[in-house]
Amino acid sequence: MRTDSSPGTLPAREHLPAGDAGTPVLDVVIPVYNEEKDLQPCVLRLHDHLKRTFPYAFRITIADNASTDTTPQVSRRLEAELPEVRAFRLEQKGRGRALRTVWSASDAPILAYMDVDLSTDLNALLPLVAPLISGHSDLAIGSRLARSSRVVRGPKREFISRAYNLILRGSLQARFSDAQCGFKAIRRDVAQVLLPLVEDTGWFFDTEMLVLAERAGLRIHEVPVDWVDDPDSTVHIVKTATDDLKGVWRVGRALATGSLPLDRLARPFGDDPRDREIKDVPKGLARQLVGFCVVGALSTLFYLLLYSGFRVFTGSQIANALALLVSAVANTAANRRLTFGVRGRGGAVRHQAQGLVVFGIGLALTSGSLAALNAASSDPAHSTELAVLIAANLAATVLRFLLFRAWVFPDREGGDSMVVAAHNPSSPTYATRQTPVPYGPLPQRTPQYPYDTARFRAGAAADGTWRDATVQLQPVRPHDTDSRDSR
């Protein structure tokens, strides 16, 4: 029987009351450039929301990157009126530059940012940072392209956003759904290691950070958001899209050449079950088998194409040797990177030399098979030659995997060493440890210390070292004054 209260209607959600203020757990950065009209309503709305709903102490940092209007005055006025608000100014433009500098200087364990227009509904803020506070994830992003997201925006921006994410998936193999939503968070310990590897200082900063984090095996949490397009947005779509495509090319080339030291980021945070020694379970065997099979299948097709091409103008033995040699070099390089996870150029020559020894064994198997076929038949058909070669290559493949795993790319004794950032007063280098470093506890609730707008407690990415000192804020990188960088 129907009643006046429809069973399909859920009651309005209410937030739990927030706790007492203390040392900030969350630092929300709002990067701004000439936002004198929107800044005060944005900060007041965000401050009211956090006061009512966020169960930990928080800070709101206004990151003014070279505004030429009255934005700096508005920032200082808000700082004077609200104890949780801090103002900060950079003399160079660039959203990425502002985020990296403020995040590097912050003492809060959870770092977030959002756009000043507050296009993203603030109810997603607590779900965004909760997995970071618990230690479950390393980064968190809001997604406008998730199935349960509710988005209101024009068709042009919708098309550009989806096209850009398709480009990222096709070129950089990105698995996250939305790179450019201005609603992200990161753990401070993760940021201290990841940010020095991010080069971009503009709008591509988000994408580069996420691609590197994902390639390094860090966990990215996605939150569906409710999002309303800002019709007065000052973003230059054409220039931003051009800069983003240049960034995609730069990062893709770096990943392809192995010049990025992503092994320094490989699962350094918390316990990973893949690092445990489990009796009677070979470490990484299943993943290596899958990778080796994929590379082997592609290599076999490549080999057959080469053999068919060489066979047009030479005999079967020479064609087989040439095809096998070229495909063997490509196979070793692909297995080195994809199957056994060896990055960088260190040891590449030695690995190729050992791969050529394995190639010699494969050559002996396939050449012996062809010799046996020619002895049995004076003029065998081309299809018969291919069938014999496929069977010989299957046998050589099994032997190749065993030799690769046990000889060319052997597992180090005691498991792979985990690499974490180490404090070093003289150089921003990295040191290795044999055990992963767990997440640090959230700070105790103590009275908040005075916070100076002109001077920050800065870390590595702000001044180029790993010293923990109070310094005057300077450009993050030598090329930060690049005039081409604009919003």
Side-chain angles (χ1 to χ4, degrees):
M1 185 178 76
R2 287 289 299 267
T3 62
D4 292 338
S5 177
S6 172
T9 303
L10 296 174
R13 290 175 292 176
E14 294 183 1
H15 295 282
L16 297 174
D20 297 331
T23 301
V25 169
L26 172 67
D27 192 349
V28 182
V29 181
I30 304 175
V32 292
Y33 173 73
N34 289 349
E35 298 287 357
E36 58 184 1
K37 294 182 179 180
D38 295 335
L39 180 56
Q40 180 167 330
C42 162
V43 172
L44 292 177
R45 179 182 164 194
L46 175 61
H47 181 270
D48 176 70
H49 177 84
L50 289 172
K51 272 288 190 181
R52 290 186 297 103
T53 67
F54 194 67
Y56 301 97
F58 64 89
R59 176 191 300 142
I60 300 173
T61 301
I62 304 169
D64 172 23
N65 43 306
S67 293
T68 57
D69 60 2
T70 61
T71 297
Q73 290 84 345
V74 176
S75 302
R76 289 193 292 269
R77 184 171 66 249
L78 289 168
E79 180 186 35
E81 295 175 356
L82 302 173
E84 293 85 7
V85 175
R86 299 293 177 260
F88 166 84
R89 178 173 173 83
L90 278 172
E91 297 302 329
Q92 297 84 30
K93 293 170 62 178
R95 180 180 68 170
R97 175 182 295 107
L99 290 176
R100 181 169 57 224
T101 306
V102 176
W103 279 354
S104 299
S106 179
D107 62 338
I110 307 299
L111 311 169
Y113 95 89
M114 61 182 62
D115 293 334
V116 69
D117 54 19
L118 293 186
S119 295
T120 305
D121 186 82
L122 292 177
N123 285 323
L125 182 55
L126 185 56
L128 182 79
V129 301
L132 306 187
I133 293 175
S134 68
H136 175 268
S137 299
D138 304 305
L139 299 90
I141 64 174
S143 175
R144 299 163 296 184
L145 302 180
R147 289 190 176 183
S148 56
S149 298
R150 291 174 289 188
V151 177
V152 178
R153 61 176 168 180
K156 181 173 71 173
R157 286 183 176 269
E158 180 76 11
F159 172 78
I160 293 174
S161 179
R162 293 188 178 275
Y164 180 62
N165 282 279
L166 286 176
I167 291 173
L168 294 181
R169 289 176 178 271
S171 59
L172 301 179
Q173 288 79 50
R175 295 192 298 271
F176 48 84
S177 64
D178 193 350
Q180 291 286 21
C181 180
F183 195 69
K184 295 181 176 67
I186 186 173
R187 286 181 61 99
R188 185 183 61 182
D189 50 4
V190 178
Q192 288 176 344
V193 183
L194 180 61
L195 294 184
L197 300 180
V198 180
E199 293 187 12
D200 191 79
T201 59
W203 290 93
F204 187 69
F205 173 87
D206 304 53
T207 302
E208 185 171 359
M209 179 180 67
L210 291 174
V211 169
L212 298 186
E214 187 176 73
R215 287 298 187 95
L218 302 183
R219 179 170 287 169
I220 301 175
H221 177 73
E222 293 199 19
V223 177
V225 298
D226 298 339
W227 196 84
V228 179
D229 191 15
D230 179 16
D232 299 324
S233 175
T234 59
V235 178
H236 302 292
I237 296 178
V238 175
K239 186 181 187 309
T240 300
T242 302
D243 292 342
D244 286 348
L245 292 177
K246 291 179 181 178
V248 170
W249 169 257
R250 173 176 56 80
V251 173
R253 183 177 57 185
L255 292 173
T257 58
S259 60
L260 284 169
L262 294 182
D263 54 323
R264 297 175 177 176
L265 287 173
R267 298 182 275 115
F269 305 104
D271 179 45
D272 193 311
R274 292 172 293 181
D275 296 327
R276 302 172 188 168
E277 293 294 336
I278 303 176
K279 187 177 180 180
D280 299 330
V281 178
K283 185 177 179 181
L285 178 60
R287 180 188 59 80
Q288 291 176 356
L289 277 174
V290 172
F292 184 81
C293 289
V294 172
V295 172
L298 296 176
S299 298
T300 301
L301 292 177
F302 184 49
Y303 162 78
L304 293 175
L305 289 174
L306 290 174
Y307 177 81
S308 297
F310 290 142
R311 190 66 174 86
V312 174
F313 56 84
T314 188
S316 61
Q317 293 287 4
I318 297 178
N320 173 63
L322 291 175
L324 196 57
L325 176 61
V326 176
S327 61
V329 172
N331 181 275
T332 300
N335 276 304
R336 181 178 186 271
R337 177 66 177 83
L338 302 177
T339 303
F340 298 96
V342 179
R343 298 181 175 89
R345 300 178 181 178
V349 176
R350 176 175 58 84
H351 293 154
Q352 283 292 351
Q354 292 173 313
L356 289 178
V357 175
V358 178
F359 152 75
I361 298 174
L363 178 62
L365 285 174
T366 52
S367 297
S369 300
L370 283 176
L373 177 62
N374 290 328
S377 175
S378 58
D379 187 20
H382 183 64
S383 59
T384 304
E385 286 185 348
L386 291 180
V388 170
L389 287 174
I390 290 174
N393 270 283
L394 288 177
T397 297
V398 176
L399 183 59
R400 184 184 302 118
F401 176 75
L402 296 176
L403 290 174
F404 273 176
R405 181 176 172 81
W407 180 47
V408 183
F409 309 107
D411 288 336
R412 287 183 289 271
E413 292 296 329
D416 295 334
S417 60
M418 304 307 297
V419 184
V420 298
H423 179 80
N424 188 334
S426 61
S427 172
T429 56
Y430 295 82
T432 61
R433 294 186 183 181
Q434 295 297 327
T435 56
V437 178
Y439 285 105
L442 294 178
Q444 300 295 322
R445 297 181 182 276
T446 57
Q448 192 170 352
Y449 62 88
Y451 199 94
D452 191 348
T453 62
R455 301 173 71 84
F456 258 61
R457 187 172 174 79
D463 64 357
T465 71
W466 287 106
R467 294 190 303 271
D468 186 12
T470 301
V471 299
Q472 186 73 26
L473 283 167
Q474 298 294 334
V476 178
R477 295 179 182 271
H479 58 271
D480 277 353
T481 57
D482 190 347
S483 60
R484 295 174 297 177
D485 183 17
S486 61
R487 290 171 51 119

